[in-house]
Amino acid sequence: MLKILLIRHSMTAGNKLGRYIGSRTDEPLSREGICLLEKFSYPPVKRVFVSPMLRCTQTAEILFPGIEKETEERLKECDFGIFENRNYKELSGEPRYQAWIDSNGTLPFPEGESREEFRRRCVWGFVRCLEQCLEDGTSTAAFVVHGGTIMSILSILADSDRSYFDWQVKNAQGYEILVDEKKWKESQKIEVTGKYTQEGFDKTW
């Protein structure tokens, strides 16, 4: 059995301002984001996979010091195109933003990725790392990635009827996942067993 922690990076300045911080903006953690991590307690793991973005590598180093960080490019956040590093107030009056809102987020980001392209990319990267862990007999692993990356992975692979936006997590929060190798080979599904918040581990979130 493989246990995985799927963790969103901690807060950046852009997160605080409600901006679309995607794969084009390599922000560091803010002071508030660094302090936020002190309120979380994640169990130790054998391997740590990260998005190459600075906010993820910094979060991983604080949460799991002394462990080699393995980078997976496909786990980057979405390319938000012309929405990148802007918030809803700055985008008000932009016709393409309103069209995207009206589509409930199903339209591709103008000059960026579509949700389906993004989801496929994230799942491809996650599966590559997961199967590497199963092949090597790794018992525990953490993925320090982005909110959108987590939603993409779980909306496709979780053995649950939750939809894409149901898997949203706040900065530094994460999910615990169990992967039964036999079940994985048969159905490529994973089991989400709980959620980590500042209050601790919640099995009934």
Side-chain angles (χ1 to χ4, degrees), residues 192-205:
V192 181
T193 55
K195 183 178 182 179
Y196 283 92
T197 68
Q198 293 182 42
E199 288 70 40
F201 183 61
D202 182 4
K203 292 184 176 181
T204 60
W205 89 103

Side-chain angles (χ1 to χ4, degrees), residues 33-145:
I34 292 171
C35 292
L36 176 62
L37 289 171
E38 297 175 359
K39 301 175 182 178
F40 283 79
S41 179
Y42 285 100
V45 295
K46 301 293 187 183
R47 295 178 74 170
V48 178
F49 298 94
V50 295
S51 155
M53 307 302 285
L54 186 57
R55 53 197 184 269
C56 293
T57 59
Q58 288 182 329
T59 298
E61 192 55 45
I62 292 169
L63 291 177
F64 305 104
I67 300 180
E68 179 188 358
K69 312 305 184 291
E70 302 178 56
T71 301
E72 173 50 68
E73 288 283 336
R74 299 180 187 91
L75 297 175
K76 281 184 178 180
E77 181 60 281
C78 187
D79 181 349
F80 293 125
I82 67 166
F83 302 165
E84 183 75 28
N85 208 12
R86 301 164 75 186
N87 61 29
Y88 75 94
K89 289 182 180 178
E90 295 165 330
L91 289 164
S92 63
E94 164 62 63
R96 287 179 288 182
Y97 182 63
Q98 190 57 54
W100 181 80
I101 292 293
D102 292 343
S103 77
N104 196 30
T106 57
L107 283 177
F109 291 101
E111 301 177 29
E113 286 182 288
S114 71
R115 188 196 297 180
E116 290 312 308
E117 289 170 336
F118 174 52
R119 291 170 79 200
R120 283 195 297 270
R121 168 169 66 78
C122 292
V123 168
W124 186 14
F126 178 77
V127 168
R128 188 193 74 81
C129 298
L130 182 156
E131 293 192 335
Q132 193 177 96
C133 287
L134 292 176
E135 182 178 339
D136 296 345
T138 302
S139 58
T140 56
F143 287 71
V144 182
V145 292

